[in-house]
Amino acid sequence: MLKLDGVQAYYGYIHALKDVTLEVPEGKIVTLLGANGAGKTTTLKTISGLMKPQKGKITLDNSSIIGLPPEKIVAKGIVQSPEGRQIFPDLTVEENLRIGAYTRKDKKNISKTFDEVYEYFPILKERKNQEGGTLSGGEQQMLAIGRALMAKPKILLLDEPSLGLAPLIVQNIFKIIKQINEEGTTILLVEQNAMKALAVADYGYILETGKVVQHNFASKLINDDSVKKAYLGE
Ligand code: ATP
Protein backbone atom coordinates (compact mmCIF):
# COMPACT_ATOMS: atom_id res chain seq x y z
CA MET A 1 0.00 0.00 0.00
CA LEU A 2 2.82 2.45 0.86
CA LYS A 3 5.67 2.59 -1.65
CA LEU A 4 8.85 4.62 -1.93
CA ASP A 5 10.69 4.52 -5.21
CA GLY A 6 14.15 6.05 -5.68
CA VAL A 7 13.58 8.68 -3.03
CA GLN A 8 16.33 11.29 -2.67
CA ALA A 9 16.41 14.10 -0.12
CA TYR A 10 18.82 16.81 0.96
CA TYR A 11 19.43 19.04 3.97
CA GLY A 12 21.07 21.93 2.15
CA TYR A 13 24.12 20.30 0.56
CA ILE A 14 23.88 17.14 2.65
CA HIS A 15 22.57 14.33 0.48
CA ALA A 16 20.76 12.47 3.27
CA LEU A 17 18.75 10.05 1.11
CA LYS A 18 20.42 8.80 -2.07
CA ASP A 19 18.13 5.98 -3.08
CA VAL A 20 15.39 4.71 -0.86
CA THR A 21 13.09 2.17 -2.47
CA LEU A 22 10.83 0.19 -0.22
CA GLU A 23 7.36 -1.20 0.20
CA VAL A 24 5.12 -1.49 3.21
CA PRO A 25 2.36 -3.97 2.32
CA GLU A 26 -0.97 -3.83 4.07
CA GLY A 27 -1.15 -5.69 7.36
CA LYS A 28 2.61 -6.19 7.75
CA ILE A 29 5.34 -4.92 10.04
CA VAL A 30 8.28 -3.64 8.01
CA THR A 31 11.42 -2.54 9.78
CA LEU A 32 13.99 -0.03 8.59
CA LEU A 33 17.40 -0.64 10.15
CA GLY A 34 20.73 1.10 9.97
CA ALA A 35 23.43 2.88 11.90
CA ASN A 36 23.20 6.42 13.30
CA GLY A 37 22.88 8.90 10.49
CA ALA A 38 21.94 6.29 7.86
CA GLY A 39 18.79 8.24 7.01
CA LYS A 40 16.08 6.35 8.86
CA THR A 41 14.43 9.39 10.46
CA THR A 42 14.77 11.34 7.22
CA THR A 43 12.94 8.55 5.37
CA LEU A 44 10.05 8.81 7.82
CA LYS A 45 10.01 12.59 7.44
CA THR A 46 9.63 12.30 3.67
CA ILE A 47 6.68 9.93 4.17
CA SER A 48 4.92 12.05 6.76
CA GLY A 49 5.32 15.22 4.71
CA LEU A 50 7.75 16.98 7.07
CA MET A 51 10.34 16.98 4.31
CA LYS A 52 9.93 17.08 0.56
CA PRO A 53 12.11 14.70 -1.44
CA GLN A 54 13.98 16.19 -4.43
CA LYS A 55 13.55 13.02 -6.47
CA GLY A 56 11.58 9.81 -6.45
CA LYS A 57 8.03 8.72 -5.77
CA ILE A 58 6.04 8.10 -2.63
CA THR A 59 2.62 6.58 -3.12
CA LEU A 60 -0.18 5.38 -0.91
CA ASP A 61 -2.48 2.93 -2.71
CA ASN A 62 -0.93 4.06 -6.01
CA SER A 63 -1.61 7.77 -5.53
CA SER A 64 1.23 10.19 -4.88
CA ILE A 65 1.46 11.82 -1.46
CA ILE A 66 4.51 13.95 -2.24
CA GLY A 67 3.90 17.63 -1.56
CA LEU A 68 0.84 17.07 0.61
CA PRO A 69 0.97 18.91 3.94
CA PRO A 70 1.52 16.67 7.00
CA GLU A 71 -2.06 17.04 8.26
CA LYS A 72 -3.42 15.77 4.91
CA ILE A 73 -1.10 12.78 5.14
CA VAL A 74 -2.38 12.08 8.67
CA ALA A 75 -5.93 12.34 7.36
CA LYS A 76 -5.03 9.73 4.71
CA GLY A 77 -4.08 7.37 7.52
CA ILE A 78 -0.29 7.66 7.80
CA VAL A 79 0.59 8.70 11.34
CA GLN A 80 4.03 9.02 12.92
CA SER A 81 5.00 8.49 16.52
CA PRO A 82 8.15 10.60 16.62
CA GLU A 83 11.58 9.83 18.02
CA GLY A 84 12.24 11.36 21.43
CA ARG A 85 8.51 11.12 22.06
CA GLN A 86 7.73 14.83 21.71
CA ILE A 87 4.69 14.72 23.91
CA PHE A 88 3.31 17.92 25.43
CA PRO A 89 4.84 18.00 28.94
CA ASP A 90 2.38 20.51 30.44
CA LEU A 91 -0.76 18.79 29.17
CA THR A 92 -2.28 15.81 30.92
CA VAL A 93 -2.06 12.31 29.49
CA GLU A 94 -5.67 12.53 28.38
CA GLU A 95 -5.18 15.94 26.74
CA ASN A 96 -2.11 14.61 24.91
CA LEU A 97 -4.14 11.69 23.60
CA ARG A 98 -7.02 13.91 22.55
CA ILE A 99 -4.65 15.96 20.38
CA GLY A 100 -3.87 12.78 18.44
CA ALA A 101 -7.49 12.66 17.32
CA TYR A 102 -7.63 16.22 15.98
CA THR A 103 -7.89 15.29 12.30
CA ARG A 104 -10.66 12.75 12.87
CA LYS A 105 -14.00 13.36 11.31
CA ASP A 106 -15.80 10.64 13.26
CA LYS A 107 -15.67 12.55 16.55
CA LYS A 108 -18.31 10.38 18.16
CA ASN A 109 -16.07 7.30 17.94
CA ILE A 110 -13.17 8.96 19.73
CA SER A 111 -14.18 7.67 23.15
CA LYS A 112 -14.00 4.12 21.79
CA THR A 113 -10.43 4.74 20.64
CA PHE A 114 -9.58 6.09 24.11
CA ASP A 115 -10.75 2.73 25.48
CA GLU A 116 -8.60 0.85 22.96
CA VAL A 117 -5.52 2.90 23.78
CA TYR A 118 -6.10 2.45 27.51
CA GLU A 119 -6.42 -1.28 26.89
CA TYR A 120 -3.01 -1.41 25.23
CA PHE A 121 -1.51 0.83 27.90
CA PRO A 122 -3.39 0.50 31.21
CA ILE A 123 -0.76 2.67 32.92
CA LEU A 124 -1.92 5.63 30.80
CA LYS A 125 -5.43 5.21 32.13
CA GLU A 126 -4.12 5.24 35.69
CA ARG A 127 -2.19 8.40 34.88
CA LYS A 128 -4.74 10.11 32.67
CA ASN A 129 -4.90 13.29 34.77
CA GLN A 130 -1.14 13.49 35.28
CA GLU A 131 0.99 15.93 33.27
CA GLY A 132 2.83 14.23 30.41
CA GLY A 133 6.18 15.66 31.49
CA THR A 134 5.99 13.85 34.83
CA LEU A 135 5.77 10.39 33.22
CA SER A 136 8.74 8.02 33.10
CA GLY A 137 10.59 7.54 29.80
CA GLY A 138 8.76 4.31 29.06
CA GLU A 139 5.38 5.83 29.88
CA GLN A 140 6.13 8.83 27.64
CA GLN A 141 6.94 6.44 24.82
CA MET A 142 3.63 4.66 25.42
CA LEU A 143 1.88 8.02 25.38
CA ALA A 144 3.52 8.93 22.05
CA ILE A 145 2.37 5.65 20.50
CA GLY A 146 -1.06 6.03 22.10
CA ARG A 147 -1.37 9.55 20.71
CA ALA A 148 -0.59 8.27 17.21
CA LEU A 149 -3.20 5.52 17.63
CA MET A 150 -5.83 8.12 18.53
CA ALA A 151 -5.74 9.18 14.86
CA LYS A 152 -6.83 5.63 13.87
CA PRO A 153 -3.89 5.14 11.50
CA LYS A 154 -3.86 2.68 8.63
CA ILE A 155 -0.08 2.87 8.73
CA LEU A 156 1.77 3.66 11.92
CA LEU A 157 5.31 5.02 11.57
CA LEU A 158 7.34 4.32 14.70
CA ASP A 159 10.68 6.07 15.12
CA GLU A 160 12.92 4.20 17.57
CA PRO A 161 10.28 3.26 20.12
CA SER A 162 12.86 1.41 22.27
CA LEU A 163 15.38 4.25 22.50
CA GLY A 164 16.70 4.78 26.01
CA LEU A 165 14.32 2.35 27.70
CA ALA A 166 15.11 -0.40 30.18
CA PRO A 167 15.07 -3.98 28.76
CA LEU A 168 11.82 -5.03 30.44
CA ILE A 169 10.00 -1.97 29.14
CA VAL A 170 11.45 -2.54 25.68
CA GLN A 171 10.08 -6.07 25.77
CA ASN A 172 6.66 -4.75 26.70
CA ILE A 173 6.69 -2.07 23.97
CA PHE A 174 7.57 -4.66 21.29
CA LYS A 175 4.83 -6.95 22.55
CA ILE A 176 2.32 -4.12 22.19
CA ILE A 177 3.65 -3.22 18.71
CA LYS A 178 2.94 -6.80 17.63
CA GLN A 179 -0.52 -6.64 19.19
CA ILE A 180 -1.35 -3.34 17.44
CA ASN A 181 -0.34 -4.96 14.15
CA GLU A 182 -2.37 -8.11 14.81
CA GLU A 183 -5.41 -5.95 15.35
CA GLY A 184 -5.05 -4.54 11.84
CA THR A 185 -2.59 -1.64 11.76
CA THR A 186 0.26 -1.75 9.25
CA ILE A 187 3.57 -0.66 10.79
CA LEU A 188 6.83 0.83 9.54
CA LEU A 189 9.26 0.47 12.41
CA VAL A 190 12.57 2.37 12.51
CA GLU A 191 14.94 0.83 15.03
CA GLN A 192 18.53 0.69 16.22
CA ASN A 193 17.64 -2.45 18.15
CA ALA A 194 17.87 -4.68 15.06
CA MET A 195 17.41 -7.99 16.85
CA LYS A 196 14.19 -6.94 18.58
CA ALA A 197 12.85 -5.26 15.46
CA LEU A 198 13.53 -8.26 13.20
CA ALA A 199 11.93 -10.55 15.78
CA VAL A 200 8.56 -8.78 15.39
CA ALA A 201 8.81 -7.71 11.73
CA ASP A 202 7.77 -9.53 8.56
CA TYR A 203 10.29 -7.80 6.33
CA GLY A 204 13.38 -5.65 6.83
CA TYR A 205 15.34 -3.01 4.90
CA ILE A 206 18.88 -2.01 5.76
CA LEU A 207 19.92 1.53 5.09
CA GLU A 208 23.54 2.69 4.79
CA THR A 209 24.43 6.32 4.16
CA GLY A 210 21.09 7.06 2.53
CA LYS A 211 20.78 3.91 0.42
CA VAL A 212 18.97 0.63 0.86
CA VAL A 213 21.81 -1.91 0.72
CA GLN A 214 19.91 -5.06 1.63
CA HIS A 215 16.34 -6.19 2.12
CA ASN A 216 14.69 -9.49 2.82
CA PHE A 217 12.23 -11.34 5.00
CA ALA A 218 12.98 -10.62 8.64
CA SER A 219 13.43 -14.34 9.29
CA LYS A 220 16.18 -14.38 6.62
CA LEU A 221 17.94 -11.20 7.78
CA ILE A 222 18.05 -12.41 11.35
CA ASN A 223 20.12 -15.42 10.21
CA ASP A 224 22.28 -13.62 7.65
CA ASP A 225 25.95 -13.59 8.68
CA SER A 226 26.77 -10.13 7.32
CA VAL A 227 23.69 -8.66 8.98
CA LYS A 228 24.49 -10.38 12.25
CA LYS A 229 28.00 -9.01 12.17
CA ALA A 230 27.07 -5.45 11.29
CA TYR A 231 23.79 -4.93 13.09
CA LEU A 232 23.12 -7.64 15.57
CA GLY A 233 26.25 -7.20 17.64
CA GLU A 234 27.87 -10.53 16.78
P1 ATP B 1 19.65 8.43 13.99
O1 ATP B 1 19.32 7.07 14.39
O2 ATP B 1 20.95 8.91 14.56
O3 ATP B 1 18.54 9.42 14.12
P2 ATP B 1 19.05 8.23 11.20
O4 ATP B 1 19.36 7.00 10.46
O5 ATP B 1 17.66 8.46 11.62
O6 ATP B 1 20.00 8.32 12.44
P3 ATP B 1 18.88 10.79 9.93
O7 ATP B 1 18.51 11.51 11.17
O8 ATP B 1 17.83 10.51 8.93
O9 ATP B 1 19.57 9.42 10.32
O10 ATP B 1 20.08 11.58 9.25
C1 ATP B 1 20.60 11.29 7.94
C2 ATP B 1 21.70 12.28 7.59
O11 ATP B 1 21.15 13.60 7.47
C3 ATP B 1 22.79 12.40 8.63
O12 ATP B 1 24.01 12.56 7.96
C4 ATP B 1 22.43 13.65 9.41
O13 ATP B 1 23.57 14.26 9.95
C5 ATP B 1 21.77 14.50 8.36
N1 ATP B 1 20.74 15.37 8.97
C6 ATP B 1 19.66 14.95 9.67
N2 ATP B 1 18.90 16.01 10.06
C7 ATP B 1 19.51 17.11 9.57
C8 ATP B 1 19.23 18.51 9.62
N3 ATP B 1 18.13 18.97 10.21
N4 ATP B 1 20.10 19.35 9.01
C9 ATP B 1 21.20 18.88 8.38
N5 ATP B 1 21.52 17.58 8.30
C10 ATP B 1 20.70 16.69 8.88
Side-chain angles (χ1 to χ4, degrees):
M1 61 179 350
L2 175 69
K3 279 189 191 170
L4 279 72
D5 187 6
V7 168
Q8 298 198 28
Y10 293 79
Y11 295 100
Y13 293 110
I14 298 172
H15 198 176
L17 301 184
K18 294 176 186 148
D19 180 10
V20 178
T21 297
L22 60 84
E23 267 185 56
V24 185
E26 188 167 354
K28 304 289 185 198
I29 300 182
V30 173
T31 186
L32 185 58
L33 306 171
N36 275 322
K40 305 182 297 296
T41 299
T42 307
T43 301
L44 292 188
K45 281 190 193 166
T46 63
I47 298 170
S48 55
L50 297 172
M51 200 168 156
K52 197 173 170 192
Q54 268 74 10
K55 268 199 183 148
K57 292 184 199 156
I58 304 179
T59 57
L60 177 68
D61 299 331
N62 296 319
S63 84
S64 176
I65 57 166
I66 287 182
L68 294 181
E71 65 275 14
K72 283 259 162 64
I73 291 176
V74 170
K76 283 186 175 287
I78 302 179
V79 184
Q80 183 168 351
S81 171
E83 183 181 25
R85 289 120 222 185
Q86 298 173 24
I87 53 136
F88 298 100
D90 301 331
L91 298 184
T92 66
V93 166
E94 187 154 304
E95 287 163 344
N96 267 281
L97 290 175
R98 195 170 293 284
I99 284 173
Y102 83 106
T103 56
R104 295 229 341 229
K105 299 208 170 65
D106 57 334
K107 301 284 183 216
K108 63 177 192 309
N109 295 326
I110 288 175
S111 70
K112 209 173 129 215
T113 315
F114 265 111
D115 294 342
E116 287 165 15
V117 168
Y118 287 147
E119 211 165 295
Y120 286 127
F121 305 110
I123 191 83
L124 295 183
K125 188 169 187 181
E126 280 172 36
R127 309 268 152 121
K128 67 179 181 183
N129 297 317
Q130 195 170 318
E131 284 180 6
T134 64
L135 297 176
S136 73
E139 290 160 0
Q140 291 192 22
Q141 182 59 57
M142 293 174 193
L143 180 54
I145 298 173
R147 190 179 59 186
L149 289 175
M150 287 302 295
K152 278 263 160 204
K154 282 192 219 151
I155 304 180
L156 179 62
L157 311 178
L158 293 173
D159 197 355
E160 308 227 12
S162 76
L163 195 71
L165 301 182
L168 261 182
I169 299 169
V170 171
Q171 200 117 345
N172 189 23
I173 295 256
F174 276 100
K175 201 177 100 205
I176 294 165
I177 289 171
K178 189 86 190 159
Q179 224 177 323
I180 291 169
N181 172 252
E182 282 167 357
E183 285 171 30
T185 309
T186 304
I187 294 177
L188 177 57
L189 170 65
V190 160
E191 259 300 336
Q192 295 255 355
N193 195 333
M195 199 62 192
K196 283 264 174 346
L198 288 171
V200 296
D202 297 289
Y203 205 87
Y205 288 84
I206 295 175
L207 210 55
E208 257 174 41
T209 57
K211 277 187 203 155
V212 171
V213 292
Q214 200 172 355
H215 59 99
N216 209 332
F217 293 103
S219 56
K220 289 260 163 41
L221 289 176
I222 233 172
N223 292 311
D224 183 293
D225 284 341
S226 66
V227 174
K228 276 191 195 165
K229 208 162 163 218
Y231 300 99
L232 304 177
E234 286 187 25

